[in-house]
Amino acid sequence: MAIRIIRTEEDPILRKTSRPVTKFDEKLWTILDDMRETMKKANGVGLAAVQVGLLRRAVIIDVDDGSGVIELINPEIVEYDGEQEGQEGCLSLPDKWAIVKRPNHVKVRAQNRNGAWRIVEGEGLKARALCHEIDHLDGHLFIDRMEKLLTQEELRRLQNERINGKEEDA
Ligand code: CO
């Protein structure tokens, strides 16, 4: 496994549409393994292949809910409902944060690394991560879906609320 360089905002590749994965071979598995290592190193909850410079419809997420890293190849959202508002960032846009509206629950149809189709469901943070990563495959970034970036002061306030456990009360 190897750490790959994460592309950042000014790189035009992030705005391109990724192509479907058609071969479920060792080359794909190496990419997925590298993405996993790169995401862990960067402390992310998700990563799309385009973020490491590969225009392929592959994403991984790990929202720390005990289910480990989930690999989604050629994913598509087949159902969504509810609404949530929450803080969102992106490994490709370091230091940028915003409050973004997302569905609270999504159902995603995707292949695993061997090409088998299955349904992955997510609520809350997992739904947010799924939407965010799938957006990357069509060149969309969270800044397209926000009203404005959070200021340093707003970020600090949100962080303090989390430490004091207010978020769960709200
Ligand atoms: Co991102």
Side-chain angles (χ1 to χ4, degrees):
M1 292 205 280
I3 305 279
R4 303 213 181 196
I5 293 164
I6 297 176
R7 305 298 180 95
T8 47
E9 194 175 355
E10 60 284 352
D11 194 322
I13 197 169
L14 291 174
R15 291 304 190 174
K16 293 190 174 159
T17 301
S18 294
R19 294 182 295 272
V21 172
T22 51
K23 283 185 196 147
F24 296 81
D25 55 7
E26 271 178 44
K27 203 176 149 199
L28 173 70
W29 301 340
T30 303
I31 292 167
L32 290 168
D33 291 343
D34 287 357
M35 283 171 63
R36 184 182 291 241
E37 202 177 343
T38 305
M39 177 181 76
K40 290 286 172 196
K41 175 94 188 298
N43 274 321
V45 297
L47 191 71
V50 60
Q51 290 180 275
V52 291
L54 301 157
L55 284 169
R56 291 282 176 241
R57 301 189 81 82
V59 310
I60 58 171
I61 64 158
D62 184 357
V63 293
D64 238 353
D65 62 349
S67 41
V69 177
I70 303 171
E71 297 172 345
L72 302 107
I73 318 299
N74 300 323
E76 46 177 319
I77 296 173
V78 290
E79 245 179 77
Y80 63 91
D81 53 77
E83 192 179 87
Q84 58 168 322
E85 271 192 346
Q87 191 181 325
E88 202 165 312
C90 178
L91 293 178
S92 292
L93 285 70
D95 306 323
K96 285 191 178 174
W97 299 89
I99 301 295
V100 182
K101 265 186 205 166
R102 297 284 188 184
N104 193 49
H105 171 250
V106 292
K107 248 185 210 180
V108 175
R109 186 174 171 266
Q111 284 165 288
N112 68 12
R113 62 164 58 201
N114 297 308
W117 287 98
R118 78 252 197 257
I119 296 286
V120 175
E121 260 188 282
E123 238 183 67
L125 178 60
K126 189 173 178 185
R128 177 176 298 282
L130 286 166
C131 293
H132 177 116
E133 297 314 325
I134 292 170
D135 262 0
H136 271 299
L137 303 181
D138 293 309
H140 301 307
L141 301 173
F142 79 91
I143 47 172
D144 309 340
R145 309 214 181 270
M146 67 172 192
E147 278 171 27
K148 60 172 192 63
L149 287 172
L150 289 169
T151 63
Q152 284 303 316
E153 176 56 35
E154 288 167 326
L155 260 179
R156 245 195 313 276
R157 210 170 50 225
L158 284 168
Q159 241 153 19
N160 286 339
E161 280 174 18
R162 249 200 309 278
I163 290 162
N164 297 327
K166 281 189 194 143
E167 200 184 43
E168 272 143 39
D169 300 332

